[in-house]
Amino acid sequence: MRIRPRQHLLDIWQALARHSFPEGAWAWGDTDGRSSVADAERMLCLLYPATEIPAFRLDHPDTTQLDVAKALKALGDTTDIPLRLIDVLGEFMDRNRRGERPDFSGGHYFVPVDPARQLAPEQRDIDVVDSYSMSVSLCLAVLEFLKGCRSTTRRQSTLDRIDRLHGDTSLRLTAALVGLLRSFTVHVIDIATPQGQVLAGLLDQDGLSDRQVVERFQHRFGTLRATITESPGLDLPAEVRDELTNPNRLFECGWAWSVVQDAPEVPLKGLAQETVPQPPGVALPLPNLHFTVVALDGIVDLLSERTLTRGLLDAEQHKLANALRLRWEITHQYWSALARLGEDHWPLARIPWRTTSQQADSAYFSLSVVSVLVHDMMRRRTTGHDLSNLIKVMERLNEHGRFTGAATSDGQENGPHSPGVTLPLPGSDALGPAMAWVMSDFPTQLLKRAVQLCSLAQKTSEEEKLLRLAEETLDHVWSHRIEDGVGIGLWSGLPVTGLRTPLPAGNPSWSITERVVECMVAAHILYIQPPSHSRDLSGQAQEAISEAAHLLGREQELYPAPRRATDQEKWMKRLEADLERAHRLVGEQAGTALALALDVLARLDTLARARGTDGKV
């Protein structure tokens, strides 16, 4: 199916409003239990498009577009909608706090590794990186939304509600940034250990000895190792710094699933020092690919130009953002270099990717590395060679997902399915049974990365491949929309290979629905950019424009217009205007420029044939 972001987003908004406002009041629907992650995902389904896409803005009632107002009519008219959202966002802040401190617990998103065991309540209350990252994106969107609402009202009661929500949102944002800082980790690895052998397997493509692998690693990552070791802003444990100075050690970096054990508290000032929670860490200090990608997604929003220029951060948050920027840069450099090690044979091209912490392999982990690489390519100028290689990896991931498969002769479905996985959460067994985290967003992640890569395509053939891949993946994602019941029009949980604890059925999955929303926002950003440039088409357009300009000039020389204005003179001026427009567009819209030039040529030929000159002097 074609990606139509505006229409798809309106359909999602209408379904969400119908589901969440069944009787004119917001219904949280905690039938599966509570989770700060799920609550944030539901809020982002509304706030993310409303702050990323100008046509979907809800903070200025006078400019709310008709189709947007119609989709959200369950919330009231254009004046009611922002007021209702302020109330609902206030409920979100109240629900997700413990006393005066923000709460980032995983809740029912945590599952026991052994389905026969029950998780302890204190385990479900553990903070999780997904909640930190989602809260960063949500809080920035809320602050942007409130800034607009403040400029359109003079009612004191409304301004008081805005002030209270602004304070709660700013506090939650600060706490989320602190949580992300305390969840970052660097893991030093001895190549002789099982973890070291997994990493060596990624680095070695030529049958090298362990010593040669270490030398290759040191050559490629020596500068980054020095940056990590010498940077005072990372605040690493002394033993980790000491191990990093050993050139015979490998290392990896990124985010654990929660605050790591023995993570130092982040120094804060003022009110934040008392109200921002900094609980003891639970997670083992092992980077996890999934949570690393989740963290990077939130930090991208934090470091965006709009966040900085709109003045959404206070002084304390700017300091925390700069600390996260350092970790963001280091993580990008590490995983991008690891994925592309070698000129012609990338480790990333060997699907599935094997992780060191779980010592397990999955196409999902390959897609996670792709996500980091897409982040890196979008902020740096990428080469055509790198983009071509990454497109090949994406196509293979699409095949691995079997999104276009057919039923086999024995009735078993040969696709589509999700190669999602469950991740054990190292350290979670300190408080009870070992926990796991379910990752079922493979198709939505693939869709989002394909759409994002389209904006980097340097050839029309590359863009066509990526769009075709995105459309095939969207077909699979769309097949999991709920067709009836209270969640109609939203998404249920996608199937996960090897999951021993079944996902709840019959209720919307805010995780999948929110990721579909992200995909549609990414598609909107793609469509408002100029189309990819085609050198071949530009050359044809230039030649057609040159020929049309020459023939138009000859027409004006041989058959000058009479002194009095005539229809013919107006006709000639239109030809001049069309040709001038074609000349302006040839650099950005070569196809449109060619069509305009060809149309001018066709009209000039019609004029010549009418005179009987047949284009000859």
Side-chain angles (χ1 to χ4, degrees):
M1 62 186 300
R2 288 186 60 244
I3 303 176
R4 297 177 295 162
R6 185 186 183 100
Q7 187 58 52
H8 293 335
L9 284 171
L10 289 173
D11 290 344
I12 293 171
W13 272 14
Q14 186 174 23
L16 188 150
R18 181 174 55 243
H19 174 271
S20 299
F21 275 88
E23 297 178 359
W26 187 268
W28 291 99
D30 296 326
T31 55
D32 298 327
R34 290 276 303 279
S35 172
S36 66
V37 186
D39 286 354
E41 288 165 341
R42 197 199 301 207
M43 293 295 95
L44 274 172
C45 289
L46 282 171
L47 267 293
Y48 196 57
T51 52
E52 291 288 330
I53 302 177
F56 280 69
R57 290 191 64 170
L58 301 173
D59 51 2
H60 288 76
D62 293 341
T63 62
T64 302
Q65 300 196 8
L66 292 177
D67 55 352
V68 171
K70 182 179 179 181
L72 295 178
K73 64 180 180 181
L75 279 72
D77 59 27
T78 57
T79 302
D80 295 328
I81 290 172
L83 298 178
R84 287 284 182 89
L85 285 179
I86 290 172
D87 289 339
V88 173
L89 289 167
E91 289 182 31
F92 167 85
M93 297 297 171
D94 291 338
R95 278 169 57 89
N96 293 286
R97 76 172 87 210
R98 297 176 196 161
E100 295 301 316
R101 298 185 172 192
D103 171 40
F104 300 95
S105 58
H108 75 273
Y109 275 23
F110 291 134
V111 298
V113 172
D114 181 356
R117 303 287 301 276
Q118 292 290 327
L119 297 183
E122 54 268 27
Q123 287 182 286
R124 295 198 181 276
D125 289 341
I126 297 174
D127 291 356
V128 66
V129 165
D130 275 60
S131 187
Y132 292 144
S133 180
M134 286 288 174
S135 290
V136 169
S137 299
L138 175 61
C139 290
L140 292 172
V142 174
L143 293 174
E144 176 89 5
F145 171 69
L146 294 179
K147 186 181 284 287
C149 290
R150 182 181 293 279
S151 66
T152 60
T153 184
R154 295 182 179 179
R155 185 178 299 175
Q156 189 58 47
S157 60
T158 302
L159 292 173
D160 291 342
R161 291 156 62 193
I162 290 174
D163 288 341
R164 180 176 182 273
L165 179 56
H166 186 280
D168 291 342
T169 303
S170 183
L171 176 62
R172 186 173 186 83
L173 175 58
T174 301
L177 300 181
V178 169
L180 285 176
L181 286 172
R182 301 181 70 226
S183 303
F184 180 83
T185 186
V186 177
H187 181 217
V188 182
I189 305 173
D190 186 337
I191 195 170
T193 64
Q195 294 171 326
Q197 288 299 300
V198 170
L199 187 52
L202 295 172
L203 297 166
D204 178 20
Q205 302 179 58
D206 305 308
L208 303 178
S209 66
D210 284 356
R211 168 57 58 187
Q212 290 172 315
V213 168
V214 170
E215 290 176 352
R216 171 179 284 186
F217 185 90
Q218 176 64 12
H219 174 74
R220 183 62 185 86
F221 295 99
T223 301
L224 184 60
R225 184 198 297 268
T227 300
I228 296 173
T229 305
E230 298 169 8
S231 174
L234 287 180
D235 198 17
L236 297 175
E239 60 271 19
V240 173
R241 288 189 184 276
D242 291 342
E243 283 286 293
L244 278 172
T245 60
N246 186 342
N248 296 318
R249 295 289 186 264
L250 310 177
F251 70 89
E252 58 185 357
C253 58
W255 275 263
W257 63 273
S258 184
V259 175
V260 298
Q261 295 174 1
D262 301 322
E265 292 193 1
V266 177
L268 299 172
K269 297 179 181 179
L271 182 62
Q273 186 176 15
E274 301 176 359
T275 54
V276 170
Q278 299 200 45
V282 174
L284 295 184
L286 302 174
N288 181 290
L289 262 174
H290 166 74
F291 294 103
T292 294
V293 171
V294 167
L296 291 175
D297 278 336
I299 298 172
V300 165
D301 293 335
L302 177 70
L303 302 180
S304 69
E305 182 178 353
R306 190 186 67 185
T307 298
L308 301 177
T309 57
R310 290 284 287 166
L312 301 181
L313 305 181
D314 61 27
E316 189 76 52
Q317 291 161 353
H318 271 292
K319 184 178 71 174
L320 298 173
N322 286 332
L324 283 170
R325 183 190 296 273
L326 173 62
R327 290 156 175 78
W328 189 70
E329 291 283 354
I330 288 172
T331 304
H332 272 299
Q333 290 182 40
Y334 176 83
W335 288 101
S336 296
L338 187 62
R340 293 183 284 192
L341 197 66
E343 289 295 324
D344 299 318
H345 304 288
W346 286 3
L348 179 58
R350 297 202 300 270
I351 299 172
W353 185 278
R354 189 170 181 82
T355 64
T356 59
S357 56
Q358 284 78 39
Q359 298 180 42
D361 51 33
S362 170
Y364 189 96
F365 301 137
S366 297
L367 181 56
S368 296
V369 180
V370 165
S371 298
V372 180
L373 205 51
V374 171
H375 274 300
D376 196 52
M377 286 183 169
M378 292 184 70
R379 69 194 185 99
R380 305 173 189 265
R381 293 192 63 179
T382 186
T383 65
H385 177 264
D386 281 358
L387 185 60
S388 177
N389 279 351
L390 191 55
I391 291 174
K392 292 176 183 176
V393 172
M394 296 279 285
E395 289 176 328
R396 289 185 58 201
L397 287 172
N398 184 37
E399 294 170 2
H400 186 92
R402 294 185 296 169
F403 296 140
T404 57
T408 59
S409 57
D410 61 359
Q412 296 297 315
E413 194 177 2
N414 191 31
H417 78 289
S418 169
V421 296
T422 56
L423 275 182
L425 304 178
S428 61
D429 55 351
L431 300 176
M435 298 194 304
W437 190 262
V438 178
M439 301 180 299
S440 62
D441 60 341
F442 184 97
T444 51
Q445 283 285 355
L446 186 64
L447 172 58
K448 181 179 178 179
R449 304 312 172 189
V451 170
Q452 288 176 325
L453 276 181
C454 280
S455 64
L456 303 179
Q458 300 173 4
K459 301 175 183 178
T460 54
S461 59
E462 293 174 341
E463 185 174 9
E464 288 174 1
K465 286 181 180 179
L466 289 166
L467 280 176
R468 184 166 60 251
L469 187 154
E471 289 169 354
E472 289 177 0
T473 308
L474 183 61
D475 284 339
H476 171 65
V477 172
W478 221 257
S479 69
H480 287 274
R481 289 180 83 202
I482 300 173
E483 297 295 334
D484 53 37
V486 293
I488 186 171
L490 301 172
W491 271 262
S492 60
L494 300 178
V496 180
T497 303
L499 179 63
R500 292 189 291 167
T501 303
L503 294 171
N507 293 315
S509 166
W510 297 115
S511 176
I512 299 302
T513 302
E514 190 278 332
R515 281 155 181 78
V516 174
V517 168
E518 286 185 18
C519 293
M520 294 303 109
V521 172
H524 165 80
I525 294 172
L526 169 66
Y527 284 142
I528 64 174
Q529 293 178 353
S532 59
H533 182 71
S534 170
R535 293 182 180 179
D536 293 341
L537 209 57
S538 293
Q540 295 177 34
Q542 289 281 15
E543 292 176 2
I545 290 170
S546 177
E547 180 179 338
H550 180 84
L551 293 178
L552 180 60
R554 188 176 69 178
E555 180 71 27
Q556 291 168 330
E557 289 298 314
L558 295 180
Y559 306 101
R563 293 180 180 179
R564 297 181 63 183
T566 64
D567 290 341
Q568 179 183 345
E569 184 179 9
K570 296 177 183 177
W571 190 75
M572 296 295 286
K573 287 185 179 299
R574 284 197 295 270
L575 290 179
E576 288 181 351
D578 288 348
L579 201 56
E580 178 61 29
R581 176 168 171 75
H583 183 74
R584 290 197 308 270
L585 291 177
V586 72
E588 295 184 351
Q589 297 174 226
T592 304
L594 177 60
L596 287 169
L598 292 176
D599 183 59
V600 171
L601 286 170
R603 284 183 282 170
L604 287 171
D605 184 65
T606 299
L607 182 62
R609 284 187 288 128
R611 289 201 182 96
T613 58
D614 199 24
K616 301 177 182 179
V617 179

